[in-house]
Amino acid sequence: MTVAQAAGKSGALEKYEAVIGIEIHCQLKTVSKMFCGCSTDIDGAAPNSHCCPVCLGLPGVLPTINKAAVEFVIATGFAIEATVASTTRWDRKNYFYPDLPKGYQISQYQLPLAANGRLTFDTSDGPFTVRVNRAHLEEDTGRLIHQDLDGRRVSLIDFNRSGMPLMEIVTEPNIRTAEQARRYAEELRLLMRTIGASDAEMENGQMRVEANVSIRPIGREAFGTRVEVKNMNSMRAVERAIAFEIERQAVAIDAGESIHMETRGWDEGSQSTYHMRPKEEENDYRYFPEPDLPPLLTTPEWLAEIKARLPELPATRRTRYREAYGLSAYDAGVLVNDAAATALFEGALAAGAGVPAKLLANWVTGEYMRLAKGEGSGGSTDPAELAALVKLVAAGAISGTNAKEIFAEHFASGAKVAAIVESRGFRQISDAGALGAAIDTVLAANPAAVADYRAGTLAAIGFLVGQVMKATRGQANAAMVQTALRERLDKV
Amino acid sequence: MANLSRADVEHVAHLARLGLTEEELARLEGQLNHILDQYTILTTLDTEHIPPTAQTIELANILREDVVQPSLTADEALANAPERSGGHLVVPAILGGGEGGA
């Protein structure tokens, strides 16, 4: 029996409420590091090839603040409706570990760039708002590889990542379910990509999600002992790890055990969390103001400039799609969550005057996303061609089935829609005379189906429609075929 | 009289990764308490109208544009490394500590 099953059986989940806070680190999309000019283009680079005396923590060097990194955090602050500080400062967070060459990390403790924000998103239970405590700027650490070398246990250090700009975003503990936590992380990821602050790929560590999870009996206000959960490398892992941890704690408490303050890791293989280390108390980091950096003052003019540069944010865009184009909340959400789909939708709207937006949205969220996510999807879609295709469908000039074939061919080869329609003879037959001949042939060839229909098995008409479509190689207007068939069959 | 205990001194020494002898611990307990006593005197001053100060230099907003500058070569970066392997710096494995990228 798994822990989850045990919790379900014991009914532990009905007695307790989870209290969850999320910390997210995002690598910011600057071209140079946080406090030095080393390139951040370190993917696949030789170890220690993107380092200088500043990010190696050599004595006698001084950090200088990357303006673009500061602006990304301020932009994020505006996007989450936070208060952006007029005065901020840097602090040293002291701890010893080989990935941190200075023995301290430059971070922001007392005066973060942004505070008191919030982010609202949809869940299966309706909209939910996470309160954000703060967003601040800090530097990343180096990367360690633990391994055996000549029979000794050693750590290999690559300082390429040392000093990369990181934004840390910390929520208040007002998240109550694993799903809310996942949706928050997804919405924040979308926000980062929309602003252009971070690519926020979890798989390669550009976005790292950590959760503080505790439970308390329903109705009690005091928090339980919290456990930090790390190593969640996908959105699905975030939800599963938190759900597992809630259940683990419920089962432990019900069994009379106590919860210890600790850091636990998510293990994808066993779908469970495991003890990593006891959690140090916060004041053990001995934060103090960074003497090497002057304070940072944000003028109203600078803030206004950053705010003016913000693109349309996901929440605003979803509302606009619903209100201006009549899309459902679900379709608007699917479109806005996918940057390529959003670009295609906007591009096709701009390229094809008069293209029906709702039908277009169906094509983007349906056929386009299906093909784009499919096996070996190397294809692409020209927004103007999609607009042309959707207009043909809306005008009834080609059937839906044929339109899908045309789209698939355009996606694969890049050929123009008009050229595919011509070369494959995909014009829809809406001519009653031409259809009538095909229908008469089908009726004559299928006396059994005709008899079934007349005997009251009305579904038999579907079979007959199919036969006519087959006879016309899919070019018949299916609605017209159905009407014409009824006319003939209902005539006694 | 400041009230820093022997256990506090041992804790601070541990955080700073300092291995101290019994004798040093005893001496530092006295010295640290003496320093704290001096601060106790400062706390008697009225600082009501003085803003919190973390910097005494008259500078603010020293920023640089996001422009790449040349890095050291990997060879230069590792010039002082006591041991290397495959372009990495080698150190004894430390288990269970640190923040690991946060």
Side-chain angles (χ1 to χ4, degrees):
Chain A
M1 189 161 63
T2 66
V3 172
Q5 286 163 337
K9 284 222 167 82
S10 68
L13 294 179
E14 283 138 46
K15 283 184 285 180
Y16 299 103
E17 171 183 66
V19 175
I20 304 161
I22 301 284
E23 287 178 27
I24 291 181
H25 287 85
C26 283
Q27 259 177 16
L28 297 175
K29 221 174 156 180
T30 56
V31 298
S32 66
K33 289 187 181 179
M34 185 62 234
F35 296 115
C36 62
C38 288
S39 165
T40 54
D41 188 15
I42 62 170
D43 252 7
N48 297 301
S49 60
H50 288 54
C51 305
C52 74
V54 173
C55 56
L56 287 170
L58 301 188
V61 296
L62 284 175
T64 45
I65 303 161
N66 186 335
K67 187 179 173 192
V70 173
E71 292 185 343
F72 280 140
V73 178
I74 293 174
T76 303
F78 284 132
I80 58 172
E81 302 168 64
T83 306
V84 175
S86 56
T87 306
T88 82
R89 201 183 66 198
W90 307 86
D91 298 281
R92 289 188 180 181
K93 178 180 179 176
N94 300 279
Y95 67 89
F96 291 107
Y97 204 58
D99 60 6
L100 190 70
K102 295 193 296 294
Y104 60 85
Q105 176 189 39
I106 303 178
S107 182
Q108 296 191 295
Y109 187 57
Q110 281 186 339
L111 300 170
L113 271 163
N116 298 322
R118 62 201 165 130
L119 192 60
T120 301
F121 44 83
D122 280 325
T123 71
S124 60
D125 265 348
F128 185 77
T129 300
V130 167
R131 285 184 286 117
V132 176
N133 174 286
R134 54 152 59 206
H136 73 248
L137 198 45
E138 59 188 33
E139 54 178 342
D140 210 344
T141 63
R143 197 182 275 282
L144 296 183
I145 305 166
H146 304 290
Q147 69 168 48
D148 283 318
L149 187 71
D150 309 326
R152 290 172 301 147
R153 202 70 195 132
V154 300
S155 297
L156 305 181
I157 316 176
D158 174 7
F159 283 121
N160 283 349
R161 199 180 66 181
S162 173
M164 296 269 275
L166 271 190
M167 171 164 55
E168 179 174 343
I169 304 164
V170 184
T171 75
E172 297 291 348
N174 81 310
I175 299 168
R176 292 289 171 269
T177 70
E179 187 205 345
Q180 288 167 358
R182 170 180 58 81
R183 288 290 301 119
Y184 164 72
E186 285 172 346
E187 186 71 6
L188 194 73
R189 178 176 66 180
L190 177 63
L191 202 61
M192 291 299 101
R193 291 175 178 173
T194 307
I195 297 172
S198 174
D199 286 333
E201 291 286 354
M202 290 182 81
E203 297 72 29
N204 60 20
Q206 287 168 343
M207 178 171 174
R208 300 164 218 161
V209 180
E210 290 156 32
N212 281 300
V213 181
S214 66
I215 61 170
R216 60 185 174 191
I218 288 170
R220 201 180 74 178
E221 240 179 80
F223 293 150
T225 304
R226 72 188 151 89
V227 167
E228 187 182 65
V229 185
K230 290 187 160 198
N231 291 358
M232 300 172 285
N233 294 324
S234 68
M235 290 298 173
R236 176 195 269 199
V238 168
E239 183 163 356
R240 290 193 176 170
I242 292 171
F244 176 90
E245 188 54 27
I246 292 168
E247 289 155 4
R248 184 191 71 83
Q249 292 182 18
V251 169
I253 290 173
D254 272 2
E257 295 164 25
S258 56
I259 304 297
H260 304 285
M261 211 144 103
E262 60 176 330
T263 300
R264 296 179 72 88
W266 171 245
D267 179 53
E268 198 63 50
S270 64
Q271 296 282 298
S272 61
T273 62
Y274 62 93
H275 172 80
M276 289 174 81
R277 56 177 176 262
K279 178 81 183 161
E280 286 180 73
E281 289 288 341
E282 183 166 54
N283 57 15
D284 275 8
Y285 290 124
R286 295 151 295 146
Y287 285 96
F288 64 87
E290 166 59 85
D292 287 347
L293 288 169
L296 182 63
L297 313 176
T298 56
T299 62
E301 296 75 33
W302 188 26
L303 295 183
E305 194 190 308
I306 296 167
K307 201 169 190 173
R309 284 205 303 259
L310 277 180
E312 184 179 39
L313 298 175
T316 318
R317 186 170 283 167
R318 281 189 290 255
T319 306
R320 180 166 65 85
Y321 283 0
R322 289 209 313 271
E323 290 175 357
Y325 304 130
L327 304 193
S328 68
Y330 178 80
D331 283 343
V334 171
L335 262 187
V336 172
N337 276 342
D338 186 315
T342 306
L344 178 59
F345 180 68
E346 298 274 350
L349 280 177
V355 61
K358 205 169 169 179
L359 185 60
L360 174 65
N362 289 343
W363 273 82
V364 175
T365 58
E367 284 305 291
Y368 166 73
M369 289 181 76
R370 189 177 66 77
L371 290 176
K373 282 178 183 141
E375 289 272 323
S377 66
S380 66
T381 307
D382 179 337
E385 293 303 310
L386 177 60
L389 179 69
V390 170
K391 280 199 212 170
L392 286 175
V393 175
I398 46 174
S399 71
T401 317
N402 285 346
K404 285 181 184 173
E405 272 189 51
I406 294 165
F407 184 70
E409 192 172 327
H410 167 71
F411 186 82
S413 71
K416 299 259 183 217
V417 165
I420 303 167
V421 170
E422 284 315 315
S423 72
R424 300 194 43 188
F426 272 149
R427 281 281 161 197
Q428 179 154 302
I429 304 169
S430 299
D431 172 58
L435 274 182
I439 288 170
D440 290 339
T441 313
V442 166
L443 289 180
N446 297 283
V450 171
D452 283 350
Y453 178 84
R454 288 194 167 134
T457 311
L458 299 181
I461 201 165
F463 169 76
L464 292 167
V465 170
Q467 291 302 304
V468 177
M469 296 306 289
K470 200 170 155 192
T472 58
R473 290 174 41 238
Q475 291 176 68
N477 179 323
M480 280 187 70
V481 171
Q482 178 130 350
T483 311
L485 274 170
R486 283 229 168 84
E487 271 173 19
R488 283 167 169 74
L489 290 167
D490 293 344
K491 229 185 327 186
V492 186
Chain B
M1 173 70 192
N3 214 359
L4 199 73
S5 70
R6 172 65 171 258
D8 291 331
V9 179
E10 285 171 4
H11 180 61
V12 172
H14 169 72
L15 289 176
R17 301 297 186 266
L18 292 175
L20 298 176
T21 63
E22 288 295 311
E23 200 183 320
E24 286 167 326
L25 283 169
R27 194 172 73 234
L28 283 165
E29 187 182 339
Q31 289 181 347
L32 288 171
N33 271 307
H34 181 68
I35 292 168
L36 288 175
D37 284 341
Q38 311 303 308
Y39 279 95
T40 311
I41 297 169
L42 286 176
T43 62
T44 62
L45 295 172
D46 178 12
T47 56
E48 186 72 18
H49 302 292
I50 300 173
T53 309
Q55 277 280 3
T56 52
I57 45 173
E58 302 266 323
L59 282 175
N61 288 21
I62 309 298
L63 300 168
R64 65 178 179 82
E65 295 300 320
D66 183 24
V67 174
V68 173
Q69 302 287 337
S71 298
L72 299 174
T73 64
D75 229 29
E76 288 167 333
L78 296 180
N80 296 322
E83 188 183 351
R84 9 171 155 177
S85 169
H88 288 95
L89 204 123
V90 179
V91 295
I94 313 265
L95 298 174
E99 276 289 281

